[in-house]
Amino acid sequence: FCSYATFHRMKSLSPKLATGCADHVVMSPMEKAESRPDLVVFVCNAEQACRLLTLDGYDTGLPPRPYMAGATCYQAVTYPIVTGDLNVSMMDFTSRKIRGYKPHDLFVSVPYHRFHGIVRSIPLCTAGTAKMEVPESFRAVVRQLGGGDVDL
């Protein structure tokens, strides 16, 4: 940051840290996890992230509220743990360089309580494997609301 003021501004406008929740963090591939995770973190590209957000929204109806400020560990772990929200992180530039991530890599962090909804949505949503079908009744409602047929 260019000054203490800008650092303070970022910290004071950010959701608070989740302190005292645990003594340590265990990270592993899901298939090797020995206990139920609190969070599932995907390293993916923009299209895969779009699919995950769409699948999550299919089940919840909640719009994404990504938080992309601060350290990568805050964006990818702390924020979704504290808020219960799915988060997208492009990672902070320093950790991206130190860890050698590819230019197209980003993180999508999914609190575990939302993970099963994403999985359930796969066969039902076009971001998963569902065929694109828009019923005429839905098209009519969108037209009445002034949306035309733009994305249908």
Side-chain angles (χ1 to χ4, degrees), residues 88-99:
V88 177
S89 169
M90 292 186 282
M91 296 176 258
D92 71 75
F93 190 74
T94 303
S95 64
R96 185 176 273 287
K97 287 198 69 105
I98 290 170
R99 301 302 305 163

Side-chain angles (χ1 to χ4, degrees), residues 5-65:
T6 57
F7 177 74
H8 174 75
R9 186 176 308 118
M10 191 273 303
K11 294 296 286 176
S12 66
L13 295 173
S14 298
K16 301 305 174 216
L17 295 173
T19 57
C21 293
D23 294 328
H24 56 277
V25 174
V26 176
M27 300 179 86
S28 75
M30 282 188 66
E31 66 272 6
K32 294 181 180 179
E34 295 179 10
S35 62
R36 178 189 174 275
D38 293 315
L39 189 66
V40 179
V41 181
F42 295 88
V43 179
C44 57
N45 63 37
E47 181 176 345
Q48 293 164 331
C50 178
R51 292 180 75 185
L52 287 166
L53 269 66
T54 303
L55 289 165
D56 179 67
Y58 183 87
D59 191 60
T60 65
L62 298 171
R65 296 183 301 179

Side-chain angles (χ1 to χ4, degrees), residues 87-145:
N87 199 37
V88 177
S89 169
M90 292 186 282
M91 296 176 258
D92 71 75
F93 190 74
T94 303
S95 64
R96 185 176 273 287
K97 287 198 69 105
I98 290 170
R99 301 302 305 163
Y101 286 100
K102 298 178 185 104
H104 62 269
D105 287 342
L106 50 88
F107 289 149
V108 174
S109 302
V110 180
Y112 192 74
H113 69 273
R114 290 172 74 157
F115 181 72
H116 290 289
I118 290 173
V119 173
R120 279 193 307 272
S121 299
I122 292 171
L124 306 171
C125 178
T126 56
T129 58
K131 181 180 174 196
M132 176 68 156
E133 295 180 29
V134 181
E136 180 52 39
S137 59
F138 185 78
R139 290 174 185 268
V141 169
V142 171
R143 282 192 295 274
Q144 286 177 351
L145 295 173

